[in-house]
Amino acid sequence: MLTWAPGKARHNTPIITHGEGVYLYDDKGTKFLDWTSQAVCSNIGYDLPEAVIEATTKQMSTLPFVYGGLGISEVRARLSKLMTELLPGDLQGMVFPSCGSEANEAAIMMARRYTGKYKVINWYRSYHGGTSNSQQATGDFRRWFGGDHVPGFVKAFHPFPLFWDLAGATEEERTQHALNMLEEQILNEGPDSIAMVQFESVIGGGGVLVPPKGYMQGVRAMCDKYDILMHCDEVMVGFGRTGELFGFQNYEGVIPDIVTAAKGVTSAALPLSMTACRKHIMEAFEEKPLGWGSTYASHPVAMACAYENIKYLIKNDVIGHVQRLAPTLESEMRRLTENHPSIKQYRSIGMFGCFDAHLPDGSNPQLQHTAIDKAFVEYKKAYTANGLIGLLRPPHMHVAPPLVISEEELLDGFDRQDKALYALDDALGF
């Protein structure tokens, strides 16, 4: 069975046999350029460094598992120390769940038990996970699958609207309008009932939405003003995707109270995530339990993989590589937007980009919760025929190749997508 797609879709899903570099191969020998790092997670591609493989194998042979409630593995202490050194400010208390959903569940429980308050504010179009609380924290259609009955979650508008605009407003005015709206929500919900503001540093699945200049600084100040915790969800963009180690580091002076990450922590080689908090929050749990746990939290084999993966990112300046290639990604996205009338606009940051499609009259061809429109079926066929593989979430089309992609491979990928987009132009009636 599949998860976010109807089960019958498996009949059109390729059987992947192996990967090399930034390419995936199916059982028919077809070579695909991975254009979205699968689920924006295979950040260093498919030639894992020997150090990662050796450390993982060694950990399996010496201590394949220890339950975190019974003992502390050496690699857990080592990874905690490394992350404390890499995270800014006094972010130093951390747990290591198995996936992004679990990390965000831990963050929600942490915030509620620390503050004694219950409500959590999230953006519309955000995604925080598929488990009970994390699914209701999510701001897109996927929270409806759970019935939308879990209490305590309040949705705020992202400062980048999809269906309307503040005509004539400057970026500074748009930022202030968005902050005013958020503050009014906080006042009407009651600051004494709000435990946390939980935002993706950059909304990923919802379209690579980057907050405007000054917005995240304003959120940080507002959280301080009303004694609310600020949480940055880095599950998709953490560990280099935006050209910084963490996405929130794109916003000068912003240090969240809680940070969650996953995906890139092991470059998806093994399941692992992280929930980190500031020192005063960590100390508050010295005399009481966090209230969240998992059998496989702090799994030593996964942490051994993560430790060497993070070392590889730092020692090989993968983030610097992203920074150097980011202008090429942005210019190529502009080129394709100018070349194809079906593309309304694009956004990009680091090695993370997204196109928005539209109809000739300017309206959206579909929403994310509706069945895939036949126009995008034709586009997907052309996308695959041109040797690309990746996520498609109409009306958004993501570009997020592995962070280690070369400039030549990046340009080749855009040439392939350029050819595929002619099918979308025709199918949408341009």
Side-chain angles (χ1 to χ4, degrees), residues 51-52 54-60 62-63 72-87 92 94 96 265 272 274 298-312:
V52 172
E54 289 174 4
T56 305
T57 304
K58 180 180 178 181
Q59 188 65 49
M60 291 184 74
T62 56
L63 182 65
I72 305 294
S73 64
E74 181 273 338
V75 70
R76 179 177 175 183
R78 182 157 38 95
L79 181 59
S80 297
K81 184 175 187 297
L82 175 62
M83 290 312 309
T84 299
E85 292 170 350
L86 293 175
L87 285 161
Q92 59 185 261
M94 58 196 68
F96 296 98
V265 69
L272 190 73
M274 177 190 77
S298 301
H299 197 292
V301 176
M303 290 191 296
C305 175
Y307 186 84
E308 291 300 331
N309 174 70
I310 296 165
K311 278 177 58 179
Y312 178 85

Coordinates of all heavy atoms in Angstrom, one line a residue, residues 51-52 54-60 62-63 72-87 92 94 96 265 272 274 298-312:
A51 N 33.4 6.8 5.2 CA 33.4 7.0 6.6 C 32.0 6.7 7.2 O 31.9 6.2 8.3 CB 33.8 8.4 6.9
V52 N 31.0 7.1 6.4 CA 29.6 6.9 6.9 C 29.3 5.4 7.0 O 28.8 4.9 7.9 CB 28.6 7.6 6.0 CG1 27.2 7.2 6.3 CG2 28.7 9.1 6.0
E54 N 31.5 2.9 7.1 CA 32.3 2.2 8.1 C 31.8 2.5 9.5 O 31.8 1.5 10.3 CB 33.8 2.7 7.9 CG 34.5 2.2 6.7 CD 35.9 2.8 6.5 OE1 36.3 3.6 7.4 OE2 36.5 2.6 5.4
A55 N 31.5 3.7 9.8 CA 31.0 4.0 11.2 C 29.7 3.3 11.5 O 29.5 2.8 12.6 CB 30.8 5.5 11.3
T56 N 28.8 3.2 10.5 CA 27.5 2.5 10.7 C 27.8 1.0 10.9 O 27.2 0.4 11.8 CB 26.6 2.8 9.5 OG1 26.5 4.2 9.2 CG2 25.3 2.2 9.7
T57 N 28.6 0.5 10.1 CA 28.9 -1.0 10.2 C 29.6 -1.3 11.5 O 29.3 -2.3 12.2 CB 29.8 -1.4 9.0 OG1 29.2 -1.1 7.8 CG2 30.1 -2.9 9.1
K58 N 30.5 -0.4 11.9 CA 31.2 -0.7 13.2 C 30.2 -0.6 14.4 O 30.3 -1.4 15.3 CB 32.3 0.4 13.4 CG 33.1 0.2 14.7 CD 34.2 1.3 14.8 CE 34.9 1.1 16.1 NZ 36.0 2.2 16.3
Q59 N 29.3 0.4 14.3 CA 28.3 0.5 15.4 C 27.4 -0.7 15.4 O 27.1 -1.2 16.5 CB 27.5 1.8 15.2 CG 26.6 2.1 16.4 CD 27.3 2.4 17.6 OE1 28.2 3.2 17.6 NE2 27.0 1.7 18.7
M60 N 27.1 -1.3 14.3 CA 26.2 -2.5 14.3 C 26.9 -3.7 14.9 O 26.3 -4.5 15.5 CB 25.8 -2.8 12.8 CG 24.8 -1.8 12.2 SD 24.3 -2.2 10.6 CE 23.2 -3.6 10.9
T62 N 29.4 -3.5 17.2 CA 29.8 -3.3 18.6 C 28.6 -3.1 19.5 O 28.5 -3.7 20.6 CB 30.7 -2.1 18.8 OG1 30.1 -0.9 18.2 CG2 32.0 -2.3 18.0
L63 N 27.6 -2.3 19.1 CA 26.4 -2.1 19.9 C 25.3 -1.7 19.0 O 25.0 -0.5 18.7 CB 26.6 -1.0 21.0 CG 25.5 -0.6 21.9 CD1 25.2 -1.9 22.8 CD2 25.8 0.6 22.7
I72 N 23.0 5.1 28.0 CA 23.5 6.1 27.1 C 24.6 5.6 26.3 O 25.7 5.2 26.8 CB 24.0 7.4 27.9 CG1 22.9 7.9 28.8 CG2 24.4 8.5 26.9 CD1 21.6 8.4 28.2
S73 N 24.4 5.5 25.0 CA 25.5 5.0 24.1 C 26.6 6.1 23.9 O 26.3 7.3 24.0 CB 25.0 4.6 22.8 OG 24.4 5.7 22.1
E74 N 27.8 5.7 23.7 CA 28.9 6.7 23.5 C 28.6 7.6 22.3 O 28.8 8.8 22.3 CB 30.2 5.9 23.2 CG 31.4 6.8 23.0 CD 31.6 7.2 21.5 OE1 31.0 6.5 20.6 OE2 32.2 8.2 21.3
V75 N 28.0 7.0 21.2 CA 27.7 7.9 20.0 C 26.6 8.9 20.3 O 26.6 10.0 19.7 CB 27.4 7.0 18.8 CG1 26.0 6.3 19.0 CG2 27.5 7.8 17.5
R76 N 25.7 8.6 21.2 CA 24.7 9.6 21.6 C 25.3 10.8 22.2 O 25.0 11.9 21.9 CB 23.7 8.9 22.5 CG 22.6 9.8 23.0 CD 21.6 9.0 23.8 NE 20.5 9.9 24.4 CZ 19.6 9.4 25.2 NH1 19.6 8.1 25.6 NH2 18.7 10.2 25.7
A77 N 26.2 10.6 23.1 CA 26.9 11.7 23.8 C 27.8 12.5 22.8 O 27.8 13.7 22.8 CB 27.8 11.2 24.9
R78 N 28.4 11.7 21.9 CA 29.3 12.4 20.9 C 28.5 13.2 19.9 O 28.8 14.3 19.5 CB 30.1 11.3 20.1 CG 31.0 11.8 19.1 CD 32.2 10.8 18.8 NE 31.8 9.4 18.9 CZ 31.4 8.7 17.8 NH1 31.4 9.3 16.6 NH2 31.1 7.4 17.9
L79 N 27.3 12.7 19.4 CA 26.5 13.4 18.5 C 25.9 14.6 19.2 O 25.7 15.7 18.6 CB 25.4 12.5 17.9 CG 24.5 13.2 16.9 CD1 25.2 13.7 15.7 CD2 23.4 12.2 16.4
S80 N 25.5 14.5 20.4 CA 24.9 15.6 21.2 C 25.9 16.7 21.3 O 25.6 17.9 21.1 CB 24.5 15.2 22.6 OG 23.4 14.2 22.5
K81 N 27.2 16.4 21.6 CA 28.2 17.4 21.7 C 28.5 18.1 20.4 O 28.6 19.3 20.3 CB 29.5 16.7 22.2 CG 30.6 17.7 22.5 CD 31.8 17.0 23.1 CE 32.9 18.0 23.5 NZ 33.5 18.8 22.3
L82 N 28.5 17.3 19.3 CA 28.7 17.9 18.0 C 27.6 18.9 17.6 O 27.9 20.0 17.2 CB 28.8 16.8 16.9 CG 28.9 17.3 15.4 CD1 30.2 18.1 15.2 CD2 28.8 16.1 14.5
M83 N 26.3 18.5 17.9 CA 25.2 19.4 17.5 C 25.2 20.6 18.4 O 24.9 21.7 18.0 CB 23.9 18.6 17.6 CG 23.7 17.6 16.5 SD 24.1 18.2 14.9 CE 23.1 19.7 14.8
T84 N 25.6 20.5 19.7 CA 25.7 21.6 20.6 C 26.7 22.6 20.0 O 26.5 23.9 20.1 CB 26.1 21.2 22.0 OG1 25.1 20.3 22.5 CG2 26.2 22.4 22.9
E85 N 27.8 22.1 19.5 CA 28.9 23.0 18.9 C 28.4 23.7 17.6 O 28.8 24.8 17.3 CB 30.1 22.2 18.6 CG 30.8 21.7 19.9 CD 31.9 20.7 19.6 OE1 32.1 20.3 18.5 OE2 32.7 20.4 20.6
L86 N 27.5 23.0 16.9 CA 27.1 23.6 15.6 C 25.9 24.5 15.7 O 25.8 25.5 14.9 CB 26.8 22.4 14.6 CG 27.9 21.6 14.1 CD1 27.4 20.4 13.3 CD2 29.0 22.4 13.4
L87 N 25.0 24.2 16.6 CA 23.9 25.1 16.8 C 24.2 26.4 17.5 O 25.1 26.4 18.4 CB 22.8 24.4 17.7 CG 22.0 23.2 17.0 CD1 21.4 22.3 18.0 CD2 21.0 23.8 16.0
Q92 N 21.1 23.4 23.3 CA 22.0 22.3 23.7 C 21.3 21.1 24.3 O 21.9 20.1 24.4 CB 23.0 22.9 24.8 CG 22.3 23.5 26.0 CD 23.3 24.1 26.9 OE1 23.8 23.5 27.9 NE2 23.8 25.3 26.6
M94 N 18.9 18.0 23.8 CA 18.4 17.4 22.5 C 18.0 15.9 22.8 O 18.6 15.2 23.6 CB 19.4 17.5 21.4 CG 20.7 17.0 21.7 SD 21.9 17.6 20.4 CE 22.0 19.3 20.9
F96 N 16.8 12.5 20.1 CA 17.0 12.0 18.8 C 15.9 11.0 18.4 O 16.1 9.8 18.6 CB 18.4 11.4 18.6 CG 19.5 12.4 18.7 CD1 20.2 12.5 19.9 CD2 19.8 13.3 17.7 CE1 21.2 13.5 20.1 CE2 20.8 14.2 17.8 CZ 21.5 14.3 19.0
V265 N 19.9 15.1 8.4 CA 20.8 14.7 9.4 C 21.6 13.4 9.1 O 22.7 13.3 9.5 CB 20.0 14.6 10.8 CG1 19.1 13.3 10.8 CG2 21.0 14.5 12.0
L272 N 16.4 9.0 11.3 CA 16.8 9.7 12.5 C 16.3 11.2 12.4 O 16.3 11.7 11.3 CB 18.4 9.7 12.7 CG 18.8 10.2 14.1 CD1 18.5 9.2 15.1 CD2 20.3 10.5 14.1
M274 N 15.9 15.0 15.1 CA 16.5 15.7 16.3 C 15.5 16.7 16.8 O 14.9 17.4 16.0 CB 17.8 16.4 15.9 CG 18.5 17.2 17.0 SD 19.9 18.2 16.4 CE 19.0 19.5 15.6
S298 N 17.2 7.8 19.7 CA 18.6 7.7 20.0 C 19.2 6.3 19.6 O 20.0 5.8 20.3 CB 18.9 7.9 21.5 OG 18.5 9.2 21.8
H299 N 18.7 5.8 18.5 CA 19.2 4.5 18.0 C 20.7 4.7 17.6 O 21.1 5.5 16.8 CB 18.4 4.1 16.7 CG 18.6 2.6 16.4 ND1 19.8 2.1 16.0 CD2 17.7 1.6 16.5 CE1 19.7 0.8 15.8 NE2 18.4 0.5 16.1
P300 N 21.6 3.9 18.2 CA 23.0 4.1 18.0 C 23.5 4.0 16.6 O 24.4 4.7 16.2 CB 23.7 3.1 19.0 CG 22.6 2.1 19.3 CD 21.3 2.8 19.2
V301 N 22.9 3.0 15.8 CA 23.4 2.8 14.5 C 23.0 4.1 13.6 O 23.8 4.6 12.8 CB 22.8 1.6 13.8 CG1 23.2 1.4 12.4 CG2 23.2 0.3 14.6
A302 N 21.8 4.6 13.8 CA 21.4 5.8 13.0 C 22.2 7.0 13.4 O 22.6 7.8 12.6 CB 19.9 6.0 13.2
M303 N 22.6 7.1 14.7 CA 23.4 8.2 15.2 C 24.8 8.1 14.7 O 25.4 9.2 14.4 CB 23.3 8.3 16.7 CG 22.0 8.8 17.2 SD 22.0 9.2 19.0 CE 22.4 7.6 19.7
A304 N 25.3 6.9 14.6 CA 26.7 6.8 14.0 C 26.7 7.3 12.5 O 27.6 7.9 12.1 CB 27.1 5.3 14.1
C305 N 25.6 6.9 11.8 CA 25.5 7.4 10.4 C 25.4 8.9 10.4 O 26.1 9.6 9.6 CB 24.2 6.8 9.8 SG 23.8 7.3 8.2
A306 N 24.6 9.5 11.3 CA 24.4 10.9 11.3 C 25.7 11.7 11.6 O 26.0 12.7 11.0 CB 23.3 11.3 12.3
Y307 N 26.4 11.1 12.6 CA 27.7 11.8 13.0 C 28.6 12.0 11.9 O 29.2 13.0 11.6 CB 28.3 11.0 14.2 CG 29.5 11.7 14.8 CD1 29.4 12.7 15.8 CD2 30.8 11.4 14.4 CE1 30.5 13.3 16.3 CE2 31.9 12.0 14.9 CZ 31.7 13.0 15.9 OH 32.8 13.6 16.4
E308 N 28.8 10.9 11.1 CA 29.8 10.9 10.0 C 29.2 11.7 8.8 O 30.0 12.4 8.1 CB 30.2 9.5 9.6 CG 31.0 8.8 10.6 CD 32.4 9.5 10.9 OE1 32.9 10.2 10.0 OE2 32.9 9.3 12.0
N309 N 27.9 11.7 8.6 CA 27.3 12.4 7.6 C 27.5 13.9 7.8 O 27.8 14.7 6.9 CB 25.8 12.1 7.5 CG 25.0 13.0 6.5 OD1 25.2 12.9 5.3 ND2 24.2 13.9 7.0
I310 N 27.2 14.4 9.1 CA 27.4 15.8 9.4 C 28.9 16.2 9.3 O 29.2 17.3 8.8 CB 26.9 16.1 10.8 CG1 25.3 15.8 10.8 CG2 27.1 17.5 11.2 CD1 24.8 15.7 12.2
K311 N 29.8 15.4 9.7 CA 31.2 15.6 9.5 C 31.5 15.8 8.1 O 32.3 16.7 7.7 CB 32.0 14.5 10.1 CG 32.2 14.6 11.6 CD 33.0 13.4 12.2 CE 34.4 13.3 11.5 NZ 35.2 12.2 12.1
Y312 N 31.0 15.0 7.2 CA 31.2 15.0 5.8 C 30.7 16.4 5.2 O 31.4 17.0 4.4 CB 30.5 13.9 5.1 CG 30.7 13.9 3.6 CD1 31.8 13.3 3.0 CD2 29.7 14.5 2.7 CE1 32.0 13.4 1.6 CE2 29.9 14.5 1.4 CZ 31.0 14.0 0.8 OH 31.2 14.0 -0.6

